[in-house]
Amino acid sequence: MTGPLANIRVLDLSRILAGPFCCQLLADLGADVVKVERPGAGDDTRHWGPPFVDGDGPSAYYLSCNRNKRSLTLDLEHAAARPLLEALIRRADVMVENFLPKDLEKFGLTPQRLAAINPRLVTCSISGYGRTGPLAPVPGYDLVVQATSGLMAITGETDGAPMKVGVAMSDIITGLYAAISALAGLRARDQGAEQQHFDLALADCTLASLVNVAQSTLVTREAPRRWGNAHPQIVPYEVFATADGHLVLGIGNDRQWADFCAAVERPAWARDPRYATNPARVAHRDALVPEVARLMSERTGAQWHAVLSAARVPHAPVLGVDRAIDDPQTAARQMVVEVDDSAGRRYRLLTTPIHWPGRDVSQTQPPPALGEHNRAVLRDWLSFDDAELAQVEGSGALGSVTH
């Protein structure tokens, strides 16, 4: 791999989604990411399916957050694995982990111990609730954190039940914050700082992601309500049913509103004092939105697209994931690539959404098989020769996988 992070070594001691997603971003940018996994089982997401490629191949879940990495099996419960782990830590630039505090102690991965092993190491610790506070020992799960952070309470139909987001958003957001932290740590290290340790909690990151909604609560001291697909401060800014599907209108200012009214042949709406300005439209949404809904239902999505595009009114059809993946814009941005894995299976993968000069999506590597790079990593990172490799393999530290 080449990229902005070429020559950076990342030790990925994380599992499931937030940590692996963080490390995948670093790998996409060119870092050499070694995913350390339990012998025989590996990351739990390897088994989270269906779907699986070709029925018995890797799971789609595992594929989603482990591209461009190498896999090393290491039995951290085995005494022979500890020296190996410390040797890898000495040669790493970044380490990402999501162990519970008791496991950090057991495996010798506390911040103090890591600083003693490699003072130049940048460490990102990911957990449900962080390393401090009464919930520090409690395991964190995306669904639970969406509930406790307030995200679930503001998601869903106005008169419906609280609803989780359609993907594990708390994990994804935390992975992004962790990647940013790793890059900041590398920058600080290059300026002479030592022991860059970042403590990231799913709960903190999810709460921070509520941005204007949380800030409104701080200002008003009132719990926000659920708005479904509507917006609390902008009207019309939501989903409408057409004659053959659904379409979103994203009218963000009064000029766009006037253009919309002209395009849909409702000029009186633009002059009506109840609707002329956005604050007025917000105040009278119960009258306006049903009128817009009736109008939108009279034509197909394609017909509205022609009308609204000509008037430059922000809008879009609601696409299924299958259509979004196959959309011409997706292809133009090279967001999907075909890869061949070590077992000869060919499948499509998403690639990084980060674009830079010289980016070459053909270099995208499939997520590794369990222990696929055991020997290669020990040679590259620790300069092991054949005799040392044989000794380590015989020790049981790597389990029974000896790639």
Side-chain angles (χ1 to χ4, degrees):
M1 292 293 294
T2 59
L5 293 183
N7 302 317
I8 295 295
R9 287 176 169 172
V10 178
L11 199 59
D12 181 4
L13 294 176
S14 64
R15 305 162 305 287
I16 314 299
L17 185 52
F21 186 76
C22 162
C23 293
Q24 179 175 258
L25 292 175
L26 302 178
D28 288 340
L29 291 167
D32 180 10
V33 177
V34 171
K35 183 178 180 68
V36 176
E37 301 186 77
R38 293 170 296 167
D43 192 312
D44 294 14
T45 63
R46 287 181 179 273
H47 316 288
W48 283 10
F52 298 93
V53 174
D54 293 341
D56 60 352
S59 73
Y61 203 117
Y62 169 73
L63 296 181
S64 72
C65 49
N66 289 290
R67 63 177 176 258
N68 292 326
K69 301 179 186 180
R70 299 198 284 178
S71 173
L72 170 72
T73 54
L74 199 60
D75 183 359
L76 298 183
E77 302 282 354
H78 198 294
R82 303 298 172 80
L84 274 178
L85 179 60
E86 290 197 6
L88 292 166
I89 290 171
R90 287 191 190 95
R91 288 159 178 79
D93 298 290
V94 176
M95 192 188 85
V96 179
E97 57 85 12
N98 61 353
F99 292 109
L100 289 171
K102 60 182 179 64
D103 291 326
L104 289 176
E105 294 279 354
K106 180 171 64 173
F107 298 141
L109 297 175
T110 61
Q112 296 78 12
R113 177 61 181 152
L114 291 171
I117 298 171
N118 180 359
R120 287 174 52 80
L121 182 69
V122 177
T123 308
C124 292
S125 294
I126 297 174
S127 60
Y129 300 98
R131 302 307 185 192
T132 57
L135 295 180
V138 178
Y141 300 94
D142 180 275
L143 179 66
V144 175
V145 170
Q146 286 198 38
T148 60
S149 67
L151 177 59
M152 191 178 292
I154 64 169
T155 305
E157 294 297 335
T158 302
D159 56 353
M163 187 69 64
K164 71 179 182 67
V165 180
V167 297
M169 192 55 66
S170 294
D171 279 316
I172 296 301
I173 291 167
T174 306
L176 290 169
Y177 274 114
I180 293 168
S181 299
L183 297 176
L186 289 171
R187 172 65 172 163
R189 187 193 71 173
D190 290 345
Q191 293 178 321
E194 292 186 348
Q195 194 178 4
Q196 294 297 298
H197 177 251
F198 297 88
D199 174 7
L200 297 124
L202 270 68
D204 297 345
C205 295
T206 307
L207 181 62
S209 75
L210 302 188
V211 288
N212 61 300
V213 177
Q215 189 60 50
S216 294
T217 301
L218 290 172
V219 170
T220 65
R221 297 183 180 273
E222 296 177 358
R225 54 175 284 194
R226 285 187 294 282
W227 287 93
N229 287 315
H231 194 288
Q233 287 98 23
I234 309 173
V235 175
Y237 197 93
E238 58 185 277
V239 177
F240 293 95
T242 66
D244 63 349
H246 290 85
L247 174 145
V248 297
L249 284 178
I251 298 175
N253 58 53
D254 295 336
R255 179 190 57 78
Q256 292 172 348
W257 170 247
D259 291 342
F260 171 79
C261 294
V264 302
E265 300 176 352
R266 295 295 189 278
W269 286 355
R271 299 190 299 268
D272 190 323
R274 296 176 301 164
Y275 308 150
T277 67
N278 183 68
R281 291 193 295 277
V282 171
H284 297 93
R285 72 164 74 229
D286 290 345
L288 175 59
V289 170
E291 291 194 61
V292 176
R294 280 191 293 271
L295 177 65
M296 291 291 103
S297 68
E298 294 173 359
R299 302 188 195 182
T300 67
Q303 290 171 327
W304 282 125
H305 176 66
V307 170
L308 299 175
S309 295
R312 303 185 61 142
V313 173
H315 71 285
V318 177
L319 300 181
V321 176
D322 54 341
R323 289 185 60 192
I325 286 174
D326 291 333
D327 191 83
Q329 179 67 19
T330 302
R333 297 293 288 174
Q334 296 182 297
M335 283 298 298
V336 177
V337 65
E338 286 194 350
V339 297
D340 296 289
D341 69 13
S342 58
R345 292 178 290 248
R346 188 169 183 81
Y347 46 82
R348 295 195 299 168
L349 279 181
L350 288 177
T351 60
T352 178
I354 305 173
H355 296 251
W356 65 87
R359 173 180 181 256
D360 183 0
V361 298
S362 69
Q363 289 191 351
T364 302
Q365 297 299 306
L370 181 61
E372 179 180 344
H373 303 100
N374 279 4
R375 291 193 167 201
V377 169
L378 295 177
R379 284 195 179 102
D380 295 347
W381 280 44
L382 306 183
S383 301
F384 276 17
D385 58 26
D386 288 345
E388 289 169 312
L389 288 171
Q391 181 179 5
V392 168
E393 291 169 351
S395 72
L398 308 183
S400 60
V401 182
T402 56
H403 289 82

